[in-house]
Each structure stands twice: as C-alpha cells, then as structure tokens.
Amino acid sequence: MSITLSTRLRDVRGSAIRDLLALTARPEVISLAGGLPGNELLPRERIAAALAAAVTEPAAVQYGETAGLRSLREVLAQHESRRLGRAVDPACVVVTSGSQQALDLVARALLDPGDPVVVEDPVYVGALQVFQAAGAQLNPVPVDADGMAVDVLADRLARGLRPRLVHTVSNFHNPRGATLSAPRRALLAELAERYGFLVVEDDPYGMLAFDGSPPAPVAAHGDRVVRLGSASKVLAPALRVGWLAGPAPLCAAVERLKQSTDLCTSSLTQLVTAELLADDAWFAAHLDQLRTALRERATALTGALATVFGDAATGSVPKGGMFCWLEFSDGTRPADLLPRALEHGVGFVPGTAFAVGQDLSAAARLCFASNPPGELHTAVERLGAAWRAGGT
Amino acid sequence: MSITLSTRLRDVRGSAIRDLLALTARPEVISLAGGLPGNELLPRERIAAALAAAVTEPAAVQYGETAGLRSLREVLAQHESRRLGRAVDPACVVVTSGSQQALDLVARALLDPGDPVVVEDPVYVGALQVFQAAGAQLNPVPVDADGMAVDVLADRLARGLRPRLVHTVSNFHNPRGATLSAPRRALLAELAERYGFLVVEDDPYGMLAFDGSPPAPVAAHGDRVVRLGSASKVLAPALRVGWLAGPAPLCAAVERLKQSTDLCTSSLTQLVTAELLADDAWFAAHLDQLRTALRERATALTGALATVFGDAATGSVPKGGMFCWLEFSDGTRPADLLPRALEHGVGFVPGTAFAVGQDLSAAARLCFASNPPGELHTAVERLGAAWRAGGT
C-alpha cells in the first residue's frame, strides 16, 4: 500500500551519515565516522551497580513525572549552577530522552512553519533534521576555528534578520571540533537580548575539555539561553538521559509537549544517572580518566594525520570532545575518497554531509573517541593508502 | 523573560488529569484516577535479573539502531504474527520510547495541519494531545459498550468525510472500558480500504484480557492498519518500550523521524524487554498472574459500586484492561462530586476530561489496576460517603 507523508517530513534530509554508518559497521572497517564514545570508555560496571541498587525500589520501574525525577533535576541544577556561576532552580530543568529530544521539543514548542532560525554551517545534522521537521526557514552562519562567526550573525541581524532561535554547539563542535571563543559568547548573549531571540546552547561535550575547564557557557553571559546537556557522552548513551535548563516558561511548554510525546523518561535510568552524577568523587575521577583517554586518542589521530598527509591536509587541534576536522588543500574531495577509503578498511564522514550553504567539499569529520590510539594509527595509515591510490 | 509558543502548542489541551494526579498523590487519598498498574503487579525481580544479565554486554549501554534492536523486533514480530494469524516481518516493526511515542511519530509522519482525523469520544487524552499538537482537524465518533460506533463513522464517510487516519483503542478502551466488537473490526478494516485511510489500532491493553483471548485485531481484517503496542502495562512503564507494527513505508517514515526525535530507544531496556517477551513460559505465567489479579480487582470494584450506588449509577463490566466507566443516572455530576471525594480520601477522573463533543458530565473513569481489592472497597465506600454528602 502507498502512504502519503506529511509535507514537512518530505523536507527532512535523509541522513547520509546514517547510510554511511551501515557501511562502516563491517568488522574489517575501522570507523572514524560515528559520533560515539568507545565501549571501553563507558563505566559499565558502575552503571551495573547503580542499576542493581535502583531496582530495589518499586518506583524505579513505575511511571515518573513528565519533567523528570526530582532527585535528578536537583543534581542537574547543582551541576548547571557550578557551570554558570549562579543558582539554577531545579524547576528550570527538564529531563529528556537524550538531549536530541530536548532539541526536538524546544523546536516544536517555539517554531511555527516558516519561522526563521539560525544554524551553524557546518551543522550538527541532528539539529538540521529537527529544524527541517519543524518547517523552519534555515539561516546558516559559518563556523571557524573559534566557533560560530557571531560577527557575521550580527551583520545579518543589523540587516533585518529576526530569528526565533539561534542554535550553537558551543564546546568542541560537532563536526567542526571548534569551541566558541569567550568574546563571541558574550556578544551572542548580548545580541539575543537586543534582538529578542533565544540561544539554544547545545552542549553535550562541555564536560570533555581536555584541560578540565571549558569556557563559561553562553548562558553565563545572559538569560535568553536554553542549555541542552546529555549523559550520553559522559556516562552512557543507553541511559537515554538528556536535559535542558532554561527560562521557566520554556520549561513549562516543553514539559507539556513532552507529555504527549513520550509521557516521561525512564525512572530507572534517571535514578542511575542521578546516583552517578551526585557521586562527586567517583564522577570527577571518571571524567578525569575519560578526558585523559580522549586526549591520548586525539593526539594519536592528529599526529598520524600530520605524518601521513604533511602539507596536503590540515587537521583541527582538538581541545576536547570527540571530533577532528580535516581540510585538504591538495584538491582531494573526501566524498570521492570515501569509497576507496572503505575498500582500504577505514570510514569517515565527508564535510559535505554537514554543509548548509558553504562549500565543504574539501573537508572531513574524523571521530577519535571510538577507537584506541593503535587503531587510530592504523586507520590513518589506511586513509593515507587510499589517498595515495587516488593519485591526487 | 517572555516566550512566544508555537501556534499548535497553544492548541494542546492542558491535561486536567495531570493536575488531578497531583491532588490524588496525597498519601491519604486512594487514587482511582491514574492509569497505571500497581507497583506490586510489576515483575521487578525478573527485570532486575534481566538487567544484570544484559549489562554484562558492552552493547547494552551503547547507542542502538534507530528502528530498534534486531532481537527485540524479531520477538515482537513473532508476538504480532501470533495475534494476527499471519507472518509479520521484523522489518515492519519499529521500537519506540513507549507506545505514546509511536502515536506521536505516526501523527507527525502523516499529518499536515488541518488534516482531518477521526478520534473516539470519549477519547484517550494522550491521543487527543498528539493530534492537537499536529494541528489536525478532530472528528469525534462516539464509543459505546461495543467500542467505537463504526456505523456512525460509515455514515460520516458516506457523507464525504475523508480522514487521513482513524484512531481507536480497540481493546479495553481507555477510558470507556469497552472492546470493539468483531463485526465492527471487520467493517472498520473494510472502510479503511474503501476510503483510503489508515487505522491506528492503539492496543496497550490487549494482552490483559481476563479470559486470555481478546478478539482478533483490526489488523487481522485488513492491511491499512498500524498497530501500537506497549511493554508498560504487561512488564513495566520504566522500560519505556513501545512499538508499532504496520505498512513498510510508514515504518520507514517513522524511523526517519525518530532519528531526529530521540536517536534511539535505550538498548538496555530493549534487551531486557526482548529477554522477558522471548521467555515464553515465564511470560505466559506472568500474564496469567497479572490477569488474575486484575480480574479480582475489577470484580472488587464493580461489586462495591453496585452495593454502594444501586440504581443510581451503572458501571461497565470490565473484561480486561484497567478501567471501569461509571455513569450516574441520578443527576450526579462527577466533576462536582470530585472535590468532596478528595476530601473523603478518594480520587477519580470525571468523564468530561475525555469528552470531545459528547456530553459526558454524568460519567467517570475509575482505574481498578492500581490498588488491591481491600483498598478498592474502601475507596468506593469513601466515594459513596462523598456522594451521599452531596445530597443529590
């Protein structure tokens, strides 16, 4: 039988990344394509212990409040308060099924079809899909080594652009690896105030600064900001716990919409997340280990890239997170390189997959988080062999 | 700061039930208001064992495929095949974060604002909210003791109504307690074929037939049907595992939309659900226990209602599920009775909360699943005292 889809779903970009992940899932391929922490970085034993403790309580398997368990919202508010340097009320925190859901709910709560939004270019593809599904009008602003070019945004605003919201991955950008500079954060918060838009500060990687201290969030510079956070990159993806922290009326709207969207997030995984995030000594030690492992991986990847490609390509210098952005200057087009790379046993995502308006055909996203240093060396050697085989 | 909400969110009915649940959460109140299985009916120890087994595998805490874990989709396809009497392909099953998410995704995948949909009256409020959030045009069709009045629907169709979809809770209706009769199922499937709409057969309670055998699903009578199922009522709500089984193009669309909505459902709780649903001997014995407990509770509630209210009110005769529908014939308006009932220590939901177009001011929904028989007796005695105190 045939099914007619809604107009907006027809506008949602099919994820090239997703099709690609199917190819890179072959066991002989080392994948730098996904955006996930390696299994060995996930604190599975600690999670197992927390699960066993949580499930002794009947409430752990029952429905919970739509906005999230009070205990988790309190821990999250404490963490946010420390990041922002001012008190965050637990009532201004909503727990979601991963931070992807937080983004989807914020978009659905605020946007009517045709409403203008600002996205980064290159963009986090999950955000692009959310805004396409909401029928928003997309206005891309370039991202450089200091994050979103807020000066370009300021120009557009001065010339009349009036977005409902501006989306930014402020720390260790996916896919660009960049972190928004402190002056740009201050300016972005000021522009939000002046022009009346909301900043969606999407921050799944902020706790993964290699030196332990990312810059103060955009939300520390003003209050027209909703922050999105996630347990997926610091604890485990399968908890499906994310959150948003922002203005009370937005939280109330998101809560109302979440009720019809999935009723509530799992009480069980919320209890586990609350226990782990509240165990300050354990969590600090865990984050320290995680950052150390990620730094080693980033160093291994960038070192290998420099050795193999020399002047032909420049990699970003990761200071946290999971991604390195590689730009070729020798005419290599990563989208063309990819099929040969897969034959050589390595996968990555071409920059074109993240392009909104820019030409990113010379760039590629490489994830260093999923594989240990030795594998990363092998992966780059294979990539180099594929590149040389291309004869560019 | 002020936040302007999207047009459609402003159309979503605030849930009177939700506000009510806050009142009935007071420890001195016996709540017949919620729609949840009592804690003592949830197989917590079996879930704890399955969790402990699942978490020994790294994949249990990692991201999973958006459409759901293959092992779970296979088990679900087997269960659906048995229900339908024909083979269901696992590729035509998508795992969702509760069946509420399945409903939301189906609506978003198919509906443009203004598209006509048919809802039941009284309606499952979660469905009403989903369709309001999608901006759909609501066409209510009454529900009686044999489920949706499909003859009324047939009349409307003959007179030109062309809905995109028709939503029905076919088994042990929430809130009406009724089950769609077999002839009406056949007719509904035939009308779907003739007029080209999709039936959304929302079936969270079908496995809770007191005699163990609900009628063949609407989907057994035709293929323009998507079935929604849930682990919440037969295993535990905190698994947040639901599913849909339906036409392949719809599954593909839902999967694409789910990716931007929450990426995937928890691998961990999917593994637990797959293990429990695949353990045929255990699951059959568990369902048997659950049905027996629910039947005892239903009998306790309806017996007490007959004793206390006599001819002044008629309760539906539950044959499964969790709800009894009580209709007063003495002029009592449950919405007016409720404040007194809460003072007397008992809560329920007035029929008006479920009304789309009908006058349901003489009716009330009572949930018998959350409390053991002794508590249900006490609850009805309190309700009787509140009713007598009202002097109607």
Side-chain angles (χ1 to χ4, degrees):
Chain A
M1 63 175 286
S2 70
I3 296 276
T4 307
L5 301 181
S6 65
T7 312
R8 278 163 300 143
L9 187 58
R10 293 197 295 269
D11 291 338
V12 177
R13 184 193 287 203
S15 174
I17 298 175
R18 193 145 157 274
D19 301 341
L20 188 58
L21 289 179
L23 292 175
T24 60
R26 301 198 318 251
E28 70 275 18
V29 173
I30 302 175
S31 180
L32 311 179
L36 41 128
N39 285 339
E40 63 288 349
L41 300 181
L42 306 176
R44 195 157 43 83
E45 290 180 14
R46 185 69 181 84
I47 289 170
L51 279 168
V55 80
T56 60
E57 291 295 324
V61 294
Q62 193 51 274
Y63 287 109
E65 286 176 65
T66 299
L69 297 189
R70 183 76 197 180
S71 61
L72 178 56
R73 295 168 78 192
E74 284 174 358
V75 178
L76 294 172
Q78 283 166 16
H79 277 248
E80 281 296 304
S81 300
R82 266 178 256 160
R83 291 286 296 282
L84 266 59
R86 59 176 157 83
V88 171
D89 186 339
C92 292
V93 175
V94 179
V95 177
T96 54
S97 302
S99 69
Q100 184 70 33
Q101 190 192 39
L103 184 56
D104 188 51
L105 292 176
V106 166
R108 293 173 70 192
L110 296 183
L111 299 177
D112 281 318
D115 278 351
V117 302
V118 168
V119 295
E120 296 176 311
D121 192 7
V123 70
Y124 164 53
V125 175
L128 186 75
Q129 291 172 324
V130 159
F131 296 131
Q132 286 173 330
Q137 178 219 101
L138 303 175
N139 297 272
V141 167
V143 178
D144 61 29
D146 288 323
M148 178 191 275
V150 181
D151 53 327
V152 172
L153 173 62
D155 276 356
R156 303 250 181 98
L157 293 166
R159 283 183 284 140
L161 177 65
R162 291 295 175 271
R164 293 278 287 133
L165 57 84
V166 172
H167 177 263
T168 179
V169 180
S170 52
N171 294 313
F172 318 119
H173 190 268
N174 176 6
R176 185 60 180 74
T179 288
L180 193 64
S181 69
R184 286 183 174 184
R185 287 172 194 238
L187 178 57
L188 182 56
E190 187 195 317
L191 292 171
E193 196 60 50
R194 194 185 317 161
Y195 293 100
F197 60 80
L198 186 76
V199 177
V200 180
E201 184 177 22
D202 199 348
D203 189 17
Y205 314 111
M207 287 187 264
L208 300 178
F210 296 162
D211 68 359
S213 60
V218 179
H221 298 275
D223 62 0
R224 295 195 67 90
V225 184
V226 57
R227 280 175 51 75
L228 314 186
S230 174
S232 296
K233 309 305 192 283
V234 293
L235 295 175
L239 297 171
R240 305 312 301 126
V241 170
W243 56 88
L244 62 89
L250 178 64
C251 289
V254 163
E255 181 185 351
R256 190 144 64 93
L257 192 57
K258 180 171 168 65
Q259 202 194 7
S260 70
T261 298
D262 70 355
L263 300 179
C264 61
T265 293
S266 170
S267 301
L268 181 63
T269 63
Q270 286 188 72
L271 285 167
V272 169
T273 306
E275 179 180 330
L276 270 54
L277 292 183
D279 185 345
D280 287 332
W282 175 83
F283 188 58
H286 165 66
L287 272 188
D288 207 50
Q289 270 191 321
L290 184 55
R291 289 166 183 149
T292 302
L294 290 172
R295 189 175 51 225
E296 284 169 7
R297 291 171 184 212
T299 305
L301 180 73
T302 53
L305 289 171
T307 304
V308 166
F309 293 106
D311 293 340
T314 307
S316 65
V317 180
K319 292 177 180 161
M322 314 200 325
F323 302 107
C324 175
W325 185 249
L326 185 68
E327 291 174 295
F328 285 90
S329 52
D330 68 340
T332 298
R333 297 168 60 93
D336 299 335
L337 176 60
L338 182 60
R340 289 200 306 281
L342 288 169
E343 281 168 23
H344 282 76
V346 60
F348 62 85
V349 185
T352 45
F354 309 101
V356 188
Q358 287 203 87
D359 175 7
L360 301 172
S361 61
R365 186 190 78 174
L366 311 182
C367 174
F368 53 78
S370 310
N371 295 283
E375 289 284 287
L376 292 169
H377 274 288
T378 306
V380 175
E381 279 164 18
R382 292 178 183 179
L383 191 60
W387 171 65
R388 285 185 297 270
T392 47
Chain B
M1 63 176 285
S2 69
I3 296 276
T4 308
L5 301 182
S6 66
T7 312
R8 278 162 301 141
L9 187 58
R10 294 196 294 268
D11 291 339
V12 178
R13 184 193 287 202
S15 174
I17 298 174
R18 196 148 152 270
D19 301 342
L20 188 59
L21 289 179
L23 292 175
T24 61
R26 302 197 320 250
E28 70 275 19
V29 173
I30 301 175
S31 178
L32 311 178
L36 42 130
N39 285 338
E40 63 287 351
L41 300 181
L42 306 176
R44 196 155 43 84
E45 290 180 14
R46 185 71 180 81
I47 290 170
L51 279 169
V55 80
T56 59
E57 290 297 323
V61 293
Q62 194 50 275
Y63 287 108
E65 286 176 66
T66 299
L69 296 189
R70 183 76 197 178
S71 61
L72 178 57
R73 295 168 78 193
E74 283 173 359
V75 178
L76 294 172
Q78 283 166 17
H79 277 249
E80 281 295 305
S81 300
R82 266 178 257 161
R83 290 286 296 280
L84 266 58
R86 58 175 158 82
V88 172
D89 186 341
C92 292
V93 176
V94 179
V95 177
T96 54
S97 302
S99 69
Q100 184 71 32
Q101 190 192 39
L103 184 57
D104 188 51
L105 292 176
V106 166
R108 293 172 70 192
L110 296 182
L111 299 177
D112 281 319
D115 277 352
V117 302
V118 167
V119 296
E120 296 176 310
D121 192 8
V123 69
Y124 164 53
V125 175
L128 186 75
Q129 292 173 325
V130 160
F131 296 131
Q132 286 174 328
Q137 179 218 101
L138 302 175
N139 297 273
V141 167
V143 178
D144 61 30
D146 288 323
M148 178 192 276
V150 180
D151 52 327
V152 172
L153 173 63
D155 276 356
R156 303 251 180 98
L157 293 165
R159 283 184 283 140
L161 177 65
R162 290 295 175 270
R164 293 278 288 133
L165 57 84
V166 172
H167 177 262
T168 178
V169 180
S170 53
N171 293 312
F172 319 119
H173 190 267
N174 175 7
R176 184 60 179 75
T179 289
L180 193 64
S181 70
R184 286 183 175 185
R185 288 172 193 238
L187 178 57
L188 182 57
E190 188 195 316
L191 293 171
E193 198 59 50
R194 193 185 317 161
Y195 293 101
F197 60 81
L198 186 76
V199 177
V200 180
E201 185 177 21
D202 199 347
D203 190 16
Y205 313 111
M207 287 186 264
L208 300 178
F210 295 162
D211 69 358
S213 61
V218 179
H221 298 275
D223 63 2
R224 296 196 66 91
V225 183
V226 57
R227 280 177 50 73
L228 313 186
S230 173
S232 296
K233 310 304 193 283
V234 294
L235 294 175
L239 296 172
R240 305 312 302 127
V241 170
W243 55 88
L244 62 91
L250 179 64
C251 289
V254 163
E255 182 185 350
R256 190 144 65 92
L257 192 57
K258 180 171 168 64
Q259 203 194 6
S260 70
T261 298
D262 68 355
L263 300 179
C264 62
T265 293
S266 170
S267 302
L268 181 64
T269 63
Q270 286 187 71
L271 285 167
V272 168
T273 305
E275 180 180 331
L276 270 53
L277 291 183
D279 186 344
D280 287 333
W282 175 83
F283 188 59
H286 165 66
L287 273 188
D288 207 50
Q289 269 191 321
L290 185 55
R291 290 165 182 148
T292 302
L294 290 173
R295 190 175 51 225
E296 284 170 6
R297 291 172 183 211
T299 304
L301 180 74
T302 53
L305 289 172
T307 304
V308 166
F309 294 105
D311 292 340
T314 307
S316 64
V317 181
K319 292 177 180 162
M322 314 200 324
F323 302 108
C324 175
W325 185 250
L326 185 67
E327 291 175 294
F328 285 91
S329 52
D330 69 339
T332 298
R333 298 168 61 91
D336 300 335
L337 175 61
L338 182 60
R340 288 199 307 278
L342 288 169
E343 281 168 23
H344 282 78
V346 60
F348 62 86
V349 185
T352 45
F354 309 101
V356 188
Q358 286 203 88
D359 176 6
L360 300 172
S361 60
R365 185 190 79 174
L366 311 182
C367 174
F368 53 78
S370 310
N371 295 282
E375 289 284 286
L376 292 169
H377 274 287
T378 306
V380 175
E381 279 165 20
R382 291 178 183 179
L383 191 60
W387 171 64
R388 285 187 297 269
T392 47

